[in-house]
Amino acid sequence: MTTISRAAKFAERTSRLRASTIREMLKVTQQPDIISFGGGLPAPELFPTREIADCTREVMDEYGAAALQYCVTEGIPELRNWVADRLRKRFGQPLDRSDILIVNGSQQGLDLIAKIFIDPGDHIVLEHPSYLGAIQAFDAYQARYLSVQTDEDGIVPESLEHVLDHADPFPKFLYLIPNFQNPTGRTLAHERRQAIVRICERFELPIVEDDPYGELRFEGSDLPPLASYESEGIIIYLGTGSKIIAPGLRVAWVATKDAEVREKIALAKQGADLQSGSLAQYIFLRYASKAEAFEAHVARIKSTYHHRRDVMAEALAALGIPGLRHNMPQGGMFLWATLDGIDTTELLKISALQKVVFVPGVSFYPERDVHNGMRLNFSNAGDDSIRTGIARLGEAIRSFSHQH
Ligand SMILES: Cc1ncc(COP(=O)(O)O)c(C=O)c1O
C-alpha cells in the first residue's frame, strides 16, 4: 500500500499558514489563574449586554422577518448611512453611503483587500513591526513584505520613499495602522500624515488605512485620517465596531472613494459570504443610533482604558528594572515595552511559569528580526490583575537575567 502525502493535496498558499502565537497563547490563558496581557481583547465587563438584549427585541419587533432575511452584499443601507455620518464627522469631508461597504470584522476587510490586490510573490509595504492578523491575511495570498523604518511617531516618510525607490517588484499597497497601532500603541504624527499621502500619490501606491483604535483616544487631540486628505491615489479606510461596541457582532466597514475598488471588494465578498449577518447589522445600528447612550458608552470605555494604562505604566516603573523601557500610548489597548539584550520569546517561557503572559514582539516582524519587544494589553485586566501580573513579570525578568 502506498502512502500518499496529504501535503500534496493542499494548495501551495497553505504552506505559509502558521499557527498564530497569539491564538495558541489564548488557549493557555483559558486557565483561570493565568494573568494575560497577551490577547487583544476589549474589557468584557464593559459590553452593553443588557442594552444589546433590548435592541435585539426592538429590532425583531420592528423589522421581524426583514432582519432575518438576506440583504445586499454592501450591507443594510441605514447602517451604511450611519457609518458615513460618523466618518464624515471625523474626516471633515463628504462621504456618502455609496462609499461604504459593511464587512464581517475589519479582519474580513483585510482578507478581501488581499484577495483583490495580491498575486503570489507580490510585495506589500508594512510598518516595522505590524499587525500579525494582517500578515496572516496577506500570507494566505503568498505576499512578500517590505518593511519601512518606524519610530515613536510611526512610519518615517524618508524611509518609505527609499523603499519605494528601490522596490522590485513594485508593491501593491502600503498597509498601516495610524492610531495606537497594534502592536506598539504608536500614533503616526500629524505632520507625517500628509507627507505619506503625497509620497503614495506620487508613486501611485494604494494605501490601506486600518483604524480599529482611532475612536479610543483618551489623551491629546484627534488627528485626521489619511483618507481625509485630498488625493489622486487610492486610499482604503477600515473601521470597526469591535472596540466601541463588541467584537462578537462582527460589524465593520470599508470606506473608499474609489468605485472600482469598492466593486471588486463587493464581488470578492459575494464569493466569501454573500453578506455580513443582517441581524447583527440591525442590532448594531439600533444601539449606535441611541446617540446619547452610545457616546456615554464610548466615553466609559476610554476612561477605563486610560486608567488601566496608567496602572500598568506605574506598575512597570515601580519594578525599577534597568533596560526595561515602555511607551505611553495616548489611546488604544496596547503598550509596547522593550528589554535590552533579552529575547522575549525565551522570557515568555519563564513568565508563563510565573503565570503571566504577553506577546513576544518578534511575532509582529515578518522578517522575525527583532527579539526584545513585548506587546502588553492593558484593556482586558482589572487594576489588581494588572499590578499582580506586572509584579510577576518583574520576577520573571529577574530570574531570566540570573539564568542567562
Ligand atoms: C490592527 C487591527 N486590525 C484589524 C483587527 C480586527 O478587528 P475586527 O474585530 O474588526 O475584525 C484588529 C483586532 O484586534 C486589529 O488590531
Side-chain angles (χ1 to χ4, degrees), residues 35-41 183-185 218-219 303-321 324-329 331-338 355-359 374-394 397:
I35 295 177
S36 175
F37 302 132
L41 305 183
T184 61
F218 37 71
E219 273 177 0
S303 73
T304 307
Y305 292 0
H306 187 177
H307 173 74
R308 290 180 180 180
R309 181 211 61 180
D310 288 347
V311 172
M312 185 175 271
E314 275 165 30
L316 283 166
L319 293 177
I321 293 178
L324 169 62
R325 273 179 271 273
H326 69 85
N327 61 358
M328 276 298 258
M333 306 189 344
F334 303 108
L335 202 144
W336 184 247
T338 57
K355 298 199 175 294
V356 61
V357 293
F358 58 86
V359 186
M374 277 190 275
R375 189 189 75 176
L376 297 171
N377 167 265
F378 53 77
S379 59
N380 190 241
D383 297 8
D384 290 345
S385 296
I386 293 177
R387 289 193 190 99
T388 310
I390 294 296
R392 288 180 189 173
L393 182 64
I397 298 170

Side-chain angles (χ1 to χ4, degrees), residues 23 39-42 103-110 130-134 175-177 179-183 210-213 238-243 246-248 250-253 333-334 375:
R23 296 270 167 270
L41 305 183
V103 284
N104 200 40
S106 40
Q107 190 65 33
Q108 183 186 43
L110 293 171
S130 186
Y131 168 52
L132 186 59
Y175 168 74
L176 85 174
I177 305 148
N179 297 313
F180 323 120
Q181 196 232 22
N182 183 356
D210 189 6
D211 191 23
Y213 305 106
L238 286 165
T240 179
S242 290
K243 320 294 175 180
R250 309 310 294 134
V251 171
W253 42 91
M333 306 189 344
F334 303 108
R375 189 189 75 176

Side-chain angles (χ1 to χ4, degrees), residues 251-329:
V251 171
W253 42 91
V254 177
T256 179
K257 295 225 153 271
D258 193 292
E260 201 181 350
V261 170
R262 278 196 317 264
E263 196 177 296
K264 288 208 186 310
I265 294 178
L267 288 171
K269 184 166 167 66
Q270 268 168 25
D273 62 358
L274 298 180
Q275 59 161 101
S276 297
S278 312
L279 181 58
Q281 294 183 62
Y282 276 109
I283 294 169
F284 183 102
L285 174 67
R286 172 61 60 128
Y287 180 67
S289 302
K290 297 178 182 184
E292 213 173 299
F294 173 59
E295 296 308 343
H297 173 67
V298 176
R300 195 160 52 244
I301 296 174
K302 290 198 281 192
S303 73
T304 307
Y305 292 0
H306 187 177
H307 173 74
R308 290 180 180 180
R309 181 211 61 180
D310 288 347
V311 172
M312 185 175 271
E314 275 165 30
L316 283 166
L319 293 177
I321 293 178
L324 169 62
R325 273 179 271 273
H326 69 85
N327 61 358
M328 276 298 258

